[in-house]
Amino acid sequence: MAQPKGTVVLAYSGGLDTSCILVWLKEQGYEVIAYLANIGQKEDFEAARKKALALGAKKVYIEDISREFVEEFIWPAVQANALYEDRYLLGTALARPCIARRLVEIAQQEGAQHVAHGATGKGNDQVRFELSCYALCPQIKVVAPWRLPEFYQRFPGRRELMDYAKSHGIPVPVTPQTPWSMDENLMHISYEAGILENPKVIDQSCLLAACLQPNWQFHGGLPLPRIGAADGRWGVPVKVTNTKDGASRSSALEIFVYLNGVAGKHGVGRIDIVENRFVGMKSRGIYETPAGTILHQAHLDIEALTMDREVRRIKQGLAVKFSELVYNGFWHSPECEFLRHCIWHSQQTVVGTVRVSVFKGQVYILARESPWSLYNEELVSMNVQGDYEPADATGFININALRLKEYHRLQSKVTGTQDE
């Protein structure tokens, strides 16, 4: 028997890796407390509890933190228009600091000196979990089995891990024929590894979980996200109404679940990309982000209507930095907190209504209105002069052309050519 090493709180999913890790930690002398966060994944949580206890967990925490996930993590990303490398809406990256926060709280509550996770040594999640844990509890000790030689040398591949599971009576949902990794939460479903490690592989129709709509002729209703101020939460949805049946949802969780259903039926938000991991390698991933895609497009639209051009330009730069920080695991950092505050402040006029339609994998913006609109119909009209003097544009063009003329003059000297 290994020497007792104290108590560890394991971020537990019930899948192959963390089930085997739970048993392995017991072998190493740890008392294991399993923590399973409900952030919207489809899971038999009671079965997961019984499984963890059967595998030797001292205690099992299963908590529904879906509302906190939406309001405290997804909404700031919507406000920011967060998009990593122009395409990825950060579903997994947003979930990790949410889970890690509660993981640390349970460790402190239970007097545990250790926390553990099942993230691999090549991925982003190890960084996200551990940076969050250290930021929230600097004295915590992290056990990362996939970075320990005694673990990864014993289990060089998933085949060895599945053999270990079989020999220890650990039921797992993964088979040798389908060894890919899947992560699901309210924000998205992601797929990677296995056959997906070859970026040339095309047919992954068997992976589609959220975007199941074979009949592309089906027209859904027209969701109407109302983006406005609610308890100081500017720039986030406060109500969605289906204009076809008149049904409305107004709580954060209800809005997100409803939009996931509407958009998922039409294949909205599915992307297949190669991205740059923080650790330095490229990886291929497939993501389904139905509700997030609708809200991203709707928020961009109402923001364009209500936000000053130069403020929006600065905020676009902040959004890029915010997205990188979240992707890289720095949600609980002082710089990310500062950016969230700046972005929140920029949202105070982002109030109004956007009407959208979803069809064949696309989100279509149909109309928008806002009491804070900067759109001046009379000023922009081709039929009314309004408070604008067209002759003033001549000076505007001449001033802006001055730099171009001077550049051309210099180039003419360098090349020795003259204007004809």
Side-chain angles (χ1 to χ4, degrees), residues 69 74 89 91 94 185-189 256 260 288-290 292:
F69 180 42
I74 294 177
L89 285 164
L94 290 167
N185 60 50
L186 273 172
M187 184 65 164
H188 82 176
I189 301 176
F256 215 84
N260 266 336
E288 300 170 21
T289 319

Side-chain angles (χ1 to χ4, degrees), residues 119-301:
T120 72
K122 290 185 177 181
N124 294 308
D125 279 347
Q126 58 178 340
V127 183
R128 294 164 180 160
F129 272 124
E130 295 182 37
L131 290 182
S132 293
C133 289
Y134 291 136
L136 296 170
C137 184
Q139 68 272 22
I140 203 75
K141 297 176 182 177
V142 178
V143 181
W146 281 115
R147 295 206 308 272
L148 298 175
E150 60 267 32
F151 187 87
Y152 65 72
Q153 288 174 4
R154 182 177 177 183
F155 306 110
R158 298 183 76 78
R159 167 67 68 178
E160 290 77 11
L161 209 59
M162 285 186 274
D163 290 342
Y164 178 82
K166 184 178 180 180
S167 67
H168 287 76
I170 303 172
V172 292
V174 179
T175 67
Q177 289 75 35
T178 57
W180 55 68
S181 175
M182 171 180 164
D183 178 65
E184 179 185 11
N185 60 50
L186 273 172
M187 184 65 164
H188 82 176
I189 301 176
S190 67
Y191 308 90
E192 62 180 6
I195 61 172
L196 303 181
E197 289 177 351
N198 182 348
K200 294 189 295 183
V201 171
I202 296 175
D203 184 16
Q204 290 88 41
S205 58
C206 55
L207 301 181
L208 289 173
C211 302
L212 297 175
Q213 182 52 50
N215 179 9
W216 291 112
Q217 300 305 309
F218 174 76
H219 289 263
L222 301 177
L224 190 67
R226 290 186 181 276
I227 298 177
D231 300 326
R233 295 191 182 115
W234 294 285
V236 301
V238 296
K239 186 177 183 181
V240 60
T241 301
N242 188 318
T243 57
K244 189 174 183 179
D245 60 20
S248 294
R249 280 84 178 170
S250 55
S251 77
L253 197 53
E254 285 178 333
I255 289 171
F256 215 84
V257 170
Y258 174 70
L259 290 179
N260 266 336
V262 169
K265 289 179 180 178
H266 290 273
V268 168
R270 184 176 188 269
I271 59 172
D272 184 330
I273 64 173
V274 173
E275 67 197 67
N276 289 293
R277 288 180 181 170
F278 187 32
V279 294
M281 64 188 76
K282 292 185 184 291
S283 66
R284 190 264 190 95
I286 296 174
Y287 302 102
E288 300 170 21
T289 319
T293 301
I294 285 184
L295 291 173
H296 179 75
Q297 296 298 330
H299 184 266
L300 280 172
D301 193 73

Side-chain angles (χ1 to χ4, degrees), residues 84-104:
Y84 180 71
E85 293 188 338
D86 305 315
R87 293 187 288 180
Y88 175 42
L89 285 164
L90 299 167
T92 300
L94 290 167
R96 296 312 183 225
C98 180
I99 296 170
R101 182 176 68 180
R102 188 63 186 129
L103 189 70
V104 166

Side-chain angles (χ1 to χ4, degrees), residues 372-394:
W372 290 94
S373 173
L374 289 173
Y375 186 93
N376 186 329
E377 189 173 351
E378 182 180 274
L379 182 62
V380 78
S381 174
M382 296 294 185
N383 300 315
V384 180
Q385 183 169 321
D387 188 21
Y388 180 79
E389 179 54 60
D392 292 343
T394 301

